[in-house]
Amino acid sequence: MKDTVRSDLDLDLKTELFSKLILILRFHCDISKVKDMNMLLQLLLCLAWSFEASATSASVVSMTMDQRTVNNRPFIGILTQPTSSKYGDDYILSNYVKYLESAGARVVPIRGKERPEYYRYMFKRINGVLFPGGGANTTQGSYFESGKAMYELALKANDEGDYFPIWGTCLGLELLTVLTAKKWLLGNTDSENLTLPLTLAKGYKHSQIFRDMPDNVLNYLSTEPVTQNNHQFSMLVKDFETTSELNEFYQILSTNHGRDNLEFVSLMEAYHYPIYASQWHPEKNVFKWSTGRAINHSFHAIKVTQYMANFFVSEARKSSHHFDSADQGAREMIENDLRVFVPDHTFSEEYFFNYTKRE
Amino acid sequence: MYCIKQYFGLLCLLLFTVNGLPFPNGNKWQEPTLNNRPIIGILAQDTSSALGRTYISATYVKFLEQAGARVVPIRGGQPEEYYIRMVNWTNGALIPGGVVNFATSLLGRSARLVYDAALKLNRNQDYFPIWGTCMGFQLLCYLVQGDNLLKRTDSANISWPLTFTPDFKSSRLFGQAPENIIQILSTEPVTQNEHHYSILTKVFETSKLGKFFKKLSVNRDRKGVEFISTVEGKEFPFYGVQWHPEKPNFNWNTHYNTDHGPDAVRVSQYMANFFVNEARKSSHRFPSVKLEATNLIENYNRTFSSDDTFVDIYYIDPRDT
């Protein structure tokens, strides 16, 4: 009995020391040099404790790390992209907004054609960014430029221990391959309006996306047509494998074949960064109701969508960026922007943005 | 006379059984072909706002949409045929939380008409589920009882875990729930309560409510008074929660004490998935895609408050001009 009490005490002490260690580390990250010898001493003491601590404290470490980072009010940015609509210069489909909101995130638009300060300003206040699908240019233009700005800020932040996740869907995956490889490597495939199960790739099990996936969701994803493809271009597996800039950066988690039997990357994640991308559309199963589309709206398909949204929003919860006030966050939210619903068989709903609107 | 009254319920039950209820053999409801494009009506409620006579909070819309349903508003103050028509075109109804007078409000009348139509449909083997949240649950109780049985409790702006009753395991709502959902619900304060009145357990047991509903969970208010927190209809696919499953992922008001953590979000998704799966058992549909699209709530004026309340509201019925 006494031993139990004693070890609990140890556990508490270690937890406290770890919290201290993290505080000190954070502090020194900010001022970037050690000014106080006393603090350095504490730091070393904590480190010594941490090395002494064995199996039991591993859980303590992860617990403390989680406590430090869980942000249960995450904001996620979605890139706007050009449109020829009369309603605005740029748009975002509301499907992507609803997708992220369903997992407990709020959404702010990341506008195109803004100055570098704007991207830096928004980056510091949001907890992740989603590159949506669409038809924008991925080698130049505003979608490419704003994606590039967020991607570069994310790499730098993650390198400095400031967790910041990115998710690319469809065109978003294509943009990520361009940004990482610094060249356009996509191939033409016959893969529009094609709903498939994923063909899982070697090592998928140990990836961030699959590690904690419940068996039933894994089963739906790998055996039922729950992933809707809607793309003319793809990252072909053969090109991926011969491009070291890509295969050293990303792990292929699944592949698929188009109607032309060409094999393309359908799901991938970066080895050393919280960067994820799907060639298919997880958001459509739940939120896209266009009648002309082969979209699976079954309960199993909806469970897959919810898993993917939950996964990415949980990644965003690890980022502690925040707006200066609740009101400021509310003012940046996409709910403030023009939303247009088309009451016909497309059930299309879009948000529109004008470059002139910037306050 | 007394005897007739006593046995009236039994007689009705016998008659229903002959007619064929949704759950003739306990829970063994045969799964019809599922409808994977379900549309659920949310009942609009009275407001004093200048922007409309009735409103629907976007949080309830998002709650249902996240599970693969689309939403149409059920308007207030319409002719009776409107409600019959809407029930026959949709796959379920949700009565939201809020504050109205059950007897005199537009929502009270809409709810009674939808409830009566749903009873009739279900008795005719035409599956039509109803969900009530917070005041929506209280309004369902009012319709079942024919009287207001609410008592004042100290239960606003507080989150609790549920205290499950022994019956919860055999329920439709929780019987098939994954273990982690039951674990979260019974141990973590993920259910936000936002009510000043409740159906007390002792009132429930001694009223028609105890015969109509199976109680699945209870809670105690700040003063220790026990009230009913989750129910499901014994013979009808009607569900009621005194708490707010939609708030964790969709209500960001900083003045409320809401748990936005991943576990609370999972519970919201579980509850929405359950109810939308119930709606998938209904094969009702709009006569045309055009009517379906023009009735959806996305056609209505939505107003967002750009401040720390994050209030997002659809206004449904216009003010008379």
Side-chain angles (χ1 to χ4, degrees), chain B residues 112-127:
Chain B
R112 181 170 54 77
L113 292 167
V114 168
Y115 173 82
D116 287 345
L119 282 182
K120 212 167 147 190
L121 286 172
N122 283 297
R123 279 176 192 145
N124 291 327
Q125 295 276 21
D126 187 353
Y127 207 80

Side-chain angles (χ1 to χ4, degrees), chain A residues 70 72-75 98 101-106 285-291 293 296-299 302-303 306-307 309-311 314 317 326-331 333-336 339 341-347 349 351, chain B residues 36-38 62 65-70 178 248-254 258-262 265-266 268-270 272-274 277 280 289-290 292-294 296 298-300 302-310 312 314:
Chain A
V70 169
N72 280 336
R73 297 181 70 90
F75 279 96
K98 293 178 177 185
E101 285 184 346
S102 72
R106 281 164 295 169
N285 298 340
V286 182
F287 300 113
K288 172 89 183 174
W289 293 98
S290 170
T291 51
R293 296 278 164 189
N296 188 340
H297 297 297
S298 74
F299 179 56
I302 277 144
K303 289 289 282 183
Q306 288 173 349
Y307 179 84
N310 288 344
F311 170 79
S314 284
R317 287 194 182 96
D327 286 346
Q328 192 198 33
R331 284 195 298 271
M333 275 168 72
I334 198 161
E335 276 75 2
N336 295 290
R339 181 182 40 231
F341 175 70
V342 182
D344 65 16
H345 69 283
T346 62
F347 297 92
E349 193 184 35
Y351 287 91
Chain B
N36 281 333
R37 294 178 69 88
K62 294 176 181 187
E65 286 186 344
Q66 71 173 330
R70 281 163 301 159
N249 34 1
F250 302 120
N251 188 319
W252 294 98
N253 194 327
T254 52
T258 307
D259 183 344
H260 298 292
V265 171
R266 297 275 187 293
S268 164
Q269 290 171 349
Y270 175 81
N273 286 348
F274 174 83
N277 272 339
R280 288 193 178 93
V289 172
K290 185 73 191 168
E292 187 176 305
T294 50
L296 290 186
E298 278 77 6
N299 292 289
Y300 289 79
R302 182 166 152 192
T303 305
F304 178 67
S305 306
S306 312
D307 57 28
D308 62 5
T309 65
F310 299 91
D312 199 2
Y314 288 94

Side-chain angles (χ1 to χ4, degrees), chain A residues 155-285:
Chain A
L155 288 192
K156 186 163 174 281
N158 283 297
D159 284 340
E160 289 166 355
D162 176 12
Y163 205 85
F164 189 89
I166 297 180
W167 184 285
T169 297
C170 198
L171 185 75
L173 177 144
E174 297 169 26
L175 177 60
L176 279 169
T177 65
V178 173
L179 293 171
T180 305
K182 299 198 167 59
K183 55 191 167 196
W184 197 83
L185 293 160
L186 301 166
N188 214 308
T189 53
D190 184 357
S191 42
E192 286 224 67
N193 201 21
L194 184 61
T195 303
L196 303 166
L198 298 181
T199 304
L200 299 171
K202 202 175 147 229
Y204 77 91
K205 244 187 189 153
H206 306 293
S207 65
Q208 299 300 313
I209 292 179
F210 284 99
R211 213 171 45 182
D212 297 321
M213 188 181 285
D215 288 343
N216 60 344
V217 175
L218 180 63
N219 188 36
Y220 308 150
L221 251 182
S222 55
T223 63
E224 298 178 24
V226 291
T227 69
Q228 213 257 1
N229 289 271
N230 219 7
H231 47 104
Q232 297 168 348
F233 294 99
S234 306
M235 187 64 237
L236 296 177
V237 172
K238 65 177 174 64
D239 296 334
F240 182 94
E241 280 169 352
T242 54
T243 310
S244 60
E245 291 95 328
L246 290 182
N247 62 40
E248 283 169 11
F249 193 88
Y250 295 107
Q251 179 188 3
I252 297 181
L253 304 183
S254 81
T255 62
N256 278 101
H257 290 83
R259 294 185 188 89
D260 47 14
N261 215 28
L262 289 171
E263 189 183 19
F264 59 84
V265 177
S266 50
L267 189 63
M268 63 184 198
E269 71 178 38
Y271 284 105
H272 304 298
Y273 294 93
I275 300 179
Y276 310 91
S278 67
Q279 184 63 71
W280 46 283
H281 289 270
E283 78 289 352
K284 289 200 189 209
N285 298 340

Side-chain angles (χ1 to χ4, degrees), chain B residues 106-164:
Chain B
L106 295 172
L107 173 63
R109 178 172 169 273
S110 311
R112 181 170 54 77
L113 292 167
V114 168
Y115 173 82
D116 287 345
L119 282 182
K120 212 167 147 190
L121 286 172
N122 283 297
R123 279 176 192 145
N124 291 327
Q125 295 276 21
D126 187 353
Y127 207 80
F128 191 87
I130 297 182
W131 183 281
T133 296
C134 196
M135 184 199 67
F137 159 61
Q138 299 172 354
L139 184 43
L140 264 181
C141 290
Y142 171 78
L143 293 167
V144 170
Q145 180 70 24
D147 194 9
N148 190 340
L149 298 179
L150 292 169
K151 293 278 179 289
R152 207 168 166 91
T153 51
D154 187 353
S155 45
N157 199 15
I158 187 160
S159 294
W160 289 302
L162 298 180
T163 303
F164 284 113

